[in-house]
Amino acid sequence: MADPFGFMKYPRKDNLYRNVAERITDWHELQVPLSAEERQKQAARCMNCGIPFCHAGTFYGEQRAASGCPNDNLIPEWNDLLYQGLEQAAFERLARTNPLPEMTGRVCPAPCEKGCTESLNGDGVTIHDNERYIIDTAFENGWVKASGEPVERTGFKVAIVGSGPAGLSAAWRLNQLGHLVTVYERSDRFGGLLMYGIPNMKLDKDILQRRIDLMVELGITFVADTEVGVDVTVKELSETFDRIILCTGAGVPRDLAVTGRHLQGIQFAVDYLTEATKDVLKHGKDATSKKLAGKHVVVIGGGDTGNDCVGAAIRQGASSVKQLEITPALPEDRPTTNPWPEYPFVAKLGYGQEEAAFVTGEAVSRYSTSTTGFIGAERGQVIAVETVSVGTDFQPITGTEQVLKADLVLLAMGFTGAEQALFDRFEIKEIYDDYTTNNERVLVAGDAKRGPSLVIWGIREGRKAAEKVDASLRALIYQ
């Protein structure tokens, strides 16, 4: 298992981010990957720890955050193979559990690294970047196609509704197992939140399209601009396909019911990010529009989505960006109440926040701040946000009221769950832990089943649901 002394020989070295002044002028990817030689050294840091917490996702602490990989990735094995220079073998081990590692190798917050044994007293292994290197190398050498080719066709047909992480994962695995798969997507492009929920500098859409093109080449059918229940009926799907998997995500955004919410210029984050990505797809990655030039932007909510909104607004020329979070700032160091291997809840500077500070000369985040209302101009356009500081009990503190200029307000407060209309059309009343439902021919996977979560959870659920479908269909052969 790699070099047992590698973590002592080589310091942790992450993929570098491009210089801030350069990267805010375009939509190209943020990171610059290390060389193959440097990546082998990083793989050598994966030590023979005996109990690899990295590849078993476990929930810890009051926040119930996962530490370790929930997808059961064989991390120590492919780290060892990468260290030995056996890159194709490393890819084969990686692809056993993760059909979309080029996505997680770019956007996953890497709970695997937080559970790494070396992170108990050190910096942890660069699992996230190692994964990206392995899959990018696999695509460069043509290994990925061979890994997805079905051995034989079963003749069974499966429909997947939704083409996000869970949908793509399920489609890849079902096709690999020999079933005929059709993916329905109501949007104009495939990928779900991978396409429109994550901006291009974080996940290049060419990378996503490369995977979809390969899936088409391997026999998977994709149907865009098609809403099940509207453009194609539930009856048609039920009569055409042997099984149906609903992977529609948890796309209902959390709203903010305060005075002035009706004003123009107040958007959900996902709608704003969708527009930003469509601009990039139309005009290219080499230049940024200045549609927000001279504008003041306020992002309400933290997390990755809020950070992405900040970075996108900076690229669109916003003169100021402020990010409001109702929770207090996280500590700089891990408190004793949040020990390893729990996910560390400590302060970190997101790429977008770093970019905003570079442009505006001030910190973007305001913590322990609640939004109490919006102020509009005569024609109904938002011009300001009313705020108040709150205590640890989230109650307002008298005398701390402020008014912030705002030409655009982005609501990035997360999602509440899946749209229920489609479940109703399929008469789904119960969703069970094994992805099945009270409708024996319909399964549910990903965020649509478990609620808002990480991309890696969607990938796991799609794969597991696909294997559940495969088992049920093959059982029909022997009845």
Side-chain angles (χ1 to χ4, degrees):
M1 183 182 291
D3 182 343
F5 302 104
F7 71 101
M8 300 174 68
K9 295 178 183 177
Y10 310 112
R12 178 182 173 114
K13 190 173 183 180
D14 295 281
N15 286 344
L16 297 175
Y17 273 30
R18 295 162 57 208
N19 181 271
V20 175
E22 172 195 338
R23 72 187 194 228
I24 60 174
T25 64
D26 61 46
W27 295 89
H28 288 283
E29 284 197 324
L30 297 166
Q31 291 188 335
V32 180
L34 299 181
S35 66
E37 181 182 1
E38 286 294 331
R39 185 53 56 206
Q40 278 186 278
K41 291 179 181 178
Q42 292 305 303
R45 298 184 69 250
C46 183
M47 58 187 181
N48 188 358
C49 60
I51 304 176
F53 287 82
C54 59
H55 72 141
T58 306
F59 289 102
Y60 294 98
E62 294 180 2
Q63 292 91 347
R64 302 298 295 158
S67 180
C69 182
N71 197 39
D72 311 318
N73 286 346
L74 304 171
I75 294 166
E77 296 183 29
W78 46 257
N79 269 334
D80 180 32
L81 292 166
L82 177 56
Y83 162 67
Q84 296 182 55
L86 302 174
E87 294 172 337
Q88 185 170 2
F91 162 70
E92 290 168 356
R93 299 306 285 174
L94 174 59
R96 274 179 171 252
T97 56
N98 190 352
L100 306 171
E102 69 273 32
M103 314 304 172
T104 50
R106 285 169 167 79
V107 304
C108 188
C112 53
E113 295 184 9
K114 312 308 184 288
C116 173
T117 306
E118 208 275 315
S119 69
L120 173 59
N121 290 303
D123 294 326
V125 175
T126 57
I127 300 168
H128 176 274
D129 292 348
N130 292 358
E131 179 179 58
R132 172 177 172 170
Y133 173 82
I134 292 169
I135 185 60
D136 285 355
T137 301
F139 266 108
E140 289 170 7
N141 288 280
W143 303 331
V144 184
K145 181 179 178 180
S147 74
E149 291 177 340
V151 177
E152 60 180 356
R153 288 293 182 186
T154 65
F156 289 115
K157 297 179 180 179
V158 182
I160 296 173
V161 183
S163 64
L168 293 179
S169 175
W172 179 272
R173 184 67 177 129
L174 283 165
N175 186 70
Q176 195 178 45
L177 291 166
H179 307 297
L180 299 170
V181 182
T182 300
V183 180
Y184 291 91
E185 171 58 58
R186 70 180 179 182
S187 184
D188 62 332
R189 288 177 179 262
F190 306 103
L193 70 86
L194 297 172
M195 174 58 69
Y196 287 133
I198 301 172
N200 198 85
M201 63 280 195
K202 195 169 172 182
L203 175 60
D204 194 307
K205 305 315 164 189
D206 290 342
I207 297 295
L208 175 58
Q209 192 60 49
R210 177 181 65 181
R211 173 66 69 169
I212 292 168
D213 290 344
L214 177 57
M215 294 172 77
V216 171
E217 189 178 344
L218 290 170
I220 298 171
T221 300
F222 285 85
V223 183
D225 293 311
T226 302
E227 183 171 359
V228 174
V230 178
D231 302 300
V232 58
T233 67
V234 166
K235 185 174 184 290
E236 287 177 291
L237 252 63
S238 300
E239 290 177 348
T240 304
F241 295 95
D242 300 289
R243 292 289 184 274
I244 300 166
I245 308 178
L246 305 183
C247 301
T248 51
V252 180
R254 181 172 286 107
D255 210 337
L256 185 61
V258 298
T259 304
R261 172 62 182 88
H262 64 284
L263 294 168
Q264 297 175 25
I266 302 173
Q267 277 187 290
F268 288 117
V270 67
D271 295 333
Y272 168 71
L273 292 173
T274 297
E275 292 175 6
T277 294
K278 286 186 175 182
D279 281 349
V280 175
L281 292 170
K282 182 178 180 179
H283 300 293
K285 296 174 281 189
D286 291 320
T288 57
S289 72
K290 296 303 176 185
K291 64 194 306 181
L292 294 181
K295 304 293 185 181
H296 302 284
V297 179
V298 174
V299 179
I300 301 176
D304 287 338
T305 300
N307 186 43
D308 291 340
C309 287
V310 172
I314 288 296
R315 281 163 179 75
Q316 292 185 337
S319 62
S320 76
V321 183
K322 292 182 173 59
Q323 186 174 17
L324 312 182
E325 297 194 45
I326 195 170
T327 55
L330 292 171
E332 294 293 330
D333 299 312
R334 186 199 286 262
T336 56
T337 55
N338 178 213
W340 178 90
E342 291 182 8
Y343 193 95
F345 289 94
V346 294
K348 62 180 180 180
L349 186 67
Y351 75 91
Q353 295 161 343
E354 180 187 11
E355 293 164 358
F358 174 82
V359 171
T360 66
E362 60 181 10
V364 64
S365 298
R366 296 193 177 192
Y367 298 99
S368 299
T369 301
S370 176
T371 300
T372 57
F374 302 110
I375 300 172
E378 289 183 4
R379 295 186 178 182
Q381 169 68 34
V382 68
I383 59 172
V385 178
E386 296 177 314
T387 72
V388 66
S389 297
V390 297
T392 55
D393 58 356
F394 300 113
Q395 295 303 306
I397 300 172
T398 303
T400 62
E401 296 83 1
Q402 282 190 307
V403 176
L404 306 176
K405 289 183 180 180
D407 301 296
L408 174 65
V409 177
L410 302 175
L411 304 181
M413 302 177 296
F415 299 88
T416 60
E419 296 178 22
Q420 294 300 308
L422 187 61
F423 293 167
D424 294 339
R425 290 171 186 148
F426 281 100
E427 298 182 352
I428 293 174
K429 296 179 174 58
E430 297 286 342
I431 302 174
Y432 307 115
D433 289 343
D434 65 351
Y435 312 99
T436 61
T437 70
N438 58 284
N439 184 334
E440 63 179 12
R441 297 180 66 187
V442 180
L443 292 82
V444 181
D447 287 3
K449 167 178 167 283
R450 62 178 292 113
S453 192
L454 303 178
V455 169
I456 191 63
W457 272 110
I459 291 172
R460 172 194 167 85
E461 294 237 329
R463 174 172 63 91
K464 291 292 188 180
E467 290 168 358
K468 184 73 177 179
V469 165
D470 178 66
S472 68
L473 291 177
R474 291 184 185 277
L476 295 176
I477 299 172
Y478 301 106
Q479 286 185 351

